[in-house]
Amino acid sequence: MAWECGIDGCGAVFDDVESAVVHQATTHQRRECKVCGTIVPDGYLAIRHAFTEHSRAEYVRAYGASSEAVREREELLEEIESVADMQAIARELKR
């Protein structure tokens, strides 16, 4: 399965999810979490931060997200986490 970077129409395609996440974290601008102000990598890691560090209600209030947008992000997190080697991503990002 190919993985495409969906940040700002980037469209870069990767053979594995780990490469896509590393690309997002190292190529794209970091973002400030609108809930807590923490600076996080864009893409998957920003979504993961928002959904693991904050409640769904906090996310909705801070980002003005619809329930559909929340569901899409939750499904994306599930999909990535079901196949990603998070330790490999962490090792690559520590380089």
Side-chain angles (χ1 to χ4, degrees):
M1 173 179 189
W3 294 86
E4 183 176 343
C5 177
I7 298 174
D8 297 331
C10 172
V13 177
F14 302 89
D15 291 333
D16 56 79
V17 69
E18 294 84 4
S19 296
V21 172
V22 169
H23 159 83
Q24 289 178 335
T26 59
T27 303
H28 293 283
Q29 181 179 348
R30 293 178 176 261
R31 302 290 179 182
E32 181 178 347
C33 174
K34 291 182 180 180
V35 178
C36 68
T38 299
I39 304 299
V40 295
D42 204 355
Y44 163 76
L45 293 173
I47 296 169
R48 184 171 188 262
H49 166 83
F51 282 83
T52 59
E53 299 296 320
H54 308 296
S55 70
R56 189 179 223 220
E58 288 174 316
Y59 180 81
V60 168
R61 280 192 300 273
Y63 289 90
S66 67
S67 58
E68 181 180 332
V70 170
R71 276 193 301 279
E72 286 175 11
R73 283 159 180 79
E74 288 172 336
E75 289 170 5
L76 179 64
L77 288 175
E78 275 185 36
E79 182 179 6
I80 290 172
E81 290 171 357
S82 72
V83 297
D85 180 343
M86 297 307 290
Q87 291 179 344
I89 292 169
R91 279 193 304 273
E92 189 64 30
L93 293 176
K94 286 182 182 179
R95 289 175 140 203

